[in-house]
Structures are given as C-alpha cells and as structure tokens.
Amino acid sequence: MTLSVGKGEIVGVAGLEGQGQRDLFRMLAGLTPARGGEIRIDGKTVLLSNPADAANAGIGFVPEERKTEGVFLGLRTDSNMTLPVLGRLGRFGVVNRAREQAAVDQEAARVDLSTRYLKLKIGALSGGNQQKALIGRVLMSGARHLVLFDPTRGVDVGTKAVIYDLIR
C-alpha cells in the first residue's frame, strides 16, 4: 500500500475498528515499529523508532485516547501544553516563566482555549478543552505534519467546529 500526502493536504483514514488504522497512526508517531516498507518525509526516508524520531521528523501526534495516552491529568493545563518546548523557553535549564506564559497564551488563543483554564489541572477540564490543549501542545511543538487519531472523539459540537477549523 502506498499513501502519499502533499503539502497542505488533509487525508482521512477510515475503516472498521481493528483494520490497522491504530497501527498506522502509532507507527507514524514512532510508537510501533514498521513491519515493512518505508516512510518518506519531504522526499527523505526516515526511520521512526521512537516518538523522538517522529518529533525530529516534524510529526506531531494526537492519540485516540487523550486521557491515558495524551495528557498528564495531574499537571496544570499550561504545563501540559509546554512540555515539548520547555528547552526553548529558557536558558541553562531554567524556564523563563514570562516566555512560557506568553507561548501558552498565544497557543490557547489559537485553539480557542480560555485562559481561565490554563492554571487548572487538565484533568478538571471537559474532554473538549483537554483536546484543545493537546492539539495546542502539538502545534506549539512546531510539528509540520499532524497525525490526529480521531481528534473529535468525545467532544461537543462547538469544539468539533474549532478542531475542524484548526485542521484546515
């Protein structure tokens, strides 16, 4: 099977549960080893042995199960969002809180997440707001290729519209 995605294209993968979609998405995120074939990004073959390889290749992943695979329920929402970029928000291992806050505020606005939720533990948020924070984290990472596994699952219709706009 060959799957080619051009710049700016959105591709949906559909099928009955258990038909390989989960394996495909997890493989593209570096969570499951590929059983054959090759993955090319921007014309270059990449090996995705782990999530760091996927991130270095510019892939951002939003998993199907946000509560068990996507967010850290005991951490604040702002901390969940900045996890992948902490190294860019400071110097010598010390995070510049003003830069962190500015980055989170900017991304929260982009994903239509109210700033009043940023200081709350993400586990206290609705599923839709958790999903917005998770997508914001992926976008904040600078990912150029988004792999979104059922990104509107378990969210209200208003949040679905926001997510669809973000995807477009």
Side-chain angles (χ1 to χ4, degrees):
M1 173 181 94
T2 299
L3 175 65
S4 297
V5 181
K7 184 176 182 166
E9 290 183 335
I10 300 169
V11 174
V13 176
L16 297 173
E17 190 169 329
Q19 298 300 305
Q21 311 87 292
R22 181 173 169 80
D23 292 337
L24 172 65
F25 284 94
R26 292 180 64 79
M27 180 198 58
L28 291 172
L31 295 166
T32 301
R35 287 180 254 154
E38 68 179 0
I39 300 168
R40 290 177 176 238
I41 297 178
D42 299 328
K44 298 176 188 154
T45 300
V46 295
L47 180 62
L48 304 176
S49 300
N50 55 58
D53 290 342
N56 290 334
I59 297 172
F61 178 59
V62 173
E64 176 184 28
E65 298 291 339
R66 79 179 147 264
K67 286 190 177 198
T68 57
E69 299 177 337
V71 297
F72 296 90
L73 295 171
L75 292 180
R76 291 180 1 178
T77 303
D78 55 1
S79 297
N80 264 277
M81 291 177 71
T82 59
L83 281 172
V85 297
L86 284 176
R88 289 188 253 154
L89 297 173
R91 291 172 37 118
F92 308 115
V94 178
V95 175
N96 179 317
R97 295 291 178 206
R99 285 183 69 197
E100 181 182 28
Q101 190 63 53
V104 169
D105 287 347
Q106 179 180 356
E107 209 54 55
R110 184 175 177 187
V111 299
D112 193 35
L113 178 64
S114 174
T115 56
R116 73 177 184 257
Y117 298 131
L118 296 176
K119 301 297 182 207
L120 299 176
K121 287 188 178 181
I122 200 164
L125 274 56
S126 69
N129 284 319
Q130 288 178 6
Q131 193 74 340
K132 288 180 198 178
L134 183 53
I135 292 170
R137 178 173 74 200
V138 168
L139 295 173
M140 188 183 295
S141 75
R144 298 179 321 279
H145 313 284
L146 303 180
V147 176
L148 311 173
F149 194 138
D150 206 358
T152 61
R153 180 178 177 204
V155 302
D156 63 83
V157 69
T159 300
K160 283 183 183 190
V162 169
I163 292 171
Y164 291 145
D165 285 344
L166 288 167
I167 292 169
R168 278 192 292 280

